[in-house]
Amino acid sequence: MENTQDSLVLCRSPPLEALLFDIDGTMCVSDPFHHRAFSELLQGVGYNGGVPITPEFGMKHMAGRSNEQIGRFLFPEWPPAQLDAFFAEKEALFARYAREGLREVAGLRALCRWARGRGLKLAAVTNAPRANAEVMVGILGLAEFFPVVVTGEECGEGRAKPAPDAYLRALELLGASADRSVVFEDSVIGIQAGVAAGMPVVAIAGESREARVVAAGASLVVRDYLDAKLWAALDGVDAAAANGAPPTVVDGERSVEPAAVPVEN
């Protein structure tokens, strides 16, 4: 399914100042490791009668959510101390498994280098606990690009995504404005958070999820960071900054030539 919006704006007031990224599923392919850790622990406590959860269950009820949100869904009767112990074990398992093969979403490093070359500011904004957020960024070898990491759990109870607080905090720390920043997300609740913070959102999603992320408010849907649609849109922002007008796509056609996709070394 193609995004057929008549007008696409990735930056409301060019030039760009900042790019803000979710981590799980947006910067890296982490779902298999989360699923493995959750599945093992949930079987151990007899969840669902000991029947293993499916990846689809994880995507529907866990992906993009904070541990607080997941805990309320899985074990609404458990006391906080029991939930804390469960998630401490889960995150330790996840970190161990992630070290076995966590990989970046294709083209991410090229985009980070492109952004650094233009003096753009970068931040990672996540519902993951800080320790694991930093583990993931470190495994990917991208810590140099992301001096700012903001977690939903640090924004106060009930203020993780889909609330906008984490993205607003990232803008504050970067000294950037919403009108000159873009969010990259993969989950519906993450997209909702970016939109609520007043920023355009680029969704990383396959064709089967495209309708859902567009309904959540995504301005552009791409498969990964090598997608020509992304680089065409970014080139449009550059052209708009030079011309003093917002970049648009009208009836699927742009008024400027698309940028070349950077080649990863």
Side-chain angles (χ1 to χ4, degrees):
M1 170 181 164
E2 293 295 325
N3 188 336
T4 57
Q5 291 171 285
D6 287 340
S7 180
L8 173 62
V9 180
L10 278 194
C11 181
R12 299 190 176 105
S13 181
L16 274 173
E17 291 180 340
L19 306 181
L20 285 66
F21 296 81
D22 173 52
I23 300 179
D24 283 296
T26 302
M27 288 174 59
C28 57
V29 183
S30 55
D31 286 339
F33 306 105
H34 283 296
H35 177 76
R36 182 179 173 188
F38 267 124
S39 186
E40 287 185 19
L41 290 181
L42 290 175
Q43 278 189 274
V45 300
Y47 184 82
N48 194 34
V51 177
I53 61 170
T54 64
E56 292 75 20
F57 178 92
M59 287 299 297
K60 182 177 181 180
H61 300 293
M62 301 176 184
R65 290 169 171 78
S66 67
N67 284 347
E68 176 189 358
Q69 293 163 336
I70 296 170
R72 286 201 306 266
F73 170 77
L74 293 175
F75 306 111
E77 304 302 322
W78 279 19
Q82 190 174 4
L83 286 172
D84 288 345
F86 175 86
F87 282 108
E89 188 174 359
K90 181 266 167 180
E91 297 302 347
L93 271 179
F94 168 78
R96 190 174 85 200
Y97 296 150
R99 289 187 176 95
E100 296 175 1
L102 188 75
R103 59 184 173 83
E104 71 174 53
V105 173
L108 175 61
R109 188 178 305 273
L111 178 59
C112 290
R113 289 172 175 162
W114 175 91
R116 182 168 62 184
R118 283 163 169 73
L120 303 185
K121 304 168 185 177
L122 302 181
V125 183
T126 179
N127 270 352
R130 174 167 290 278
N132 268 5
E134 293 177 346
V135 163
M136 288 186 280
V137 174
I139 291 172
L140 296 175
L142 296 174
E144 64 178 298
F145 294 106
F146 293 94
V148 172
V149 177
V150 178
T151 70
E153 67 181 8
E154 296 169 349
C155 294
E157 185 175 355
R159 301 312 301 172
K161 303 174 192 176
D165 300 46
Y167 278 117
L168 294 175
R169 176 61 176 159
L171 289 176
E172 179 183 356
L173 291 173
L174 292 175
S177 68
D179 284 345
R180 291 185 171 178
S181 301
V182 177
V183 166
F184 292 86
E185 272 283 358
D186 73 305
S187 70
V188 167
I189 65 170
I191 293 166
Q192 292 169 338
V195 171
M199 288 175 280
V201 179
V202 176
I204 308 298
E207 185 175 357
S208 64
R209 297 180 55 243
E210 187 162 349
R212 289 188 63 206
V213 298
V214 169
S219 297
L220 176 66
V221 183
V222 299
R223 303 298 178 245
D224 55 35
Y225 300 103
L226 299 176
D227 196 314
K229 289 188 296 183
L230 172 61
W231 293 98
L234 291 172
D235 182 66
V237 175
D238 280 348
N243 298 331
T248 60
V249 174
V250 179
D251 296 330
E253 298 293 331
R254 294 178 65 255
S255 59
V256 294
E257 292 300 313
V261 178
V263 176
E264 293 189 276
N265 297 320

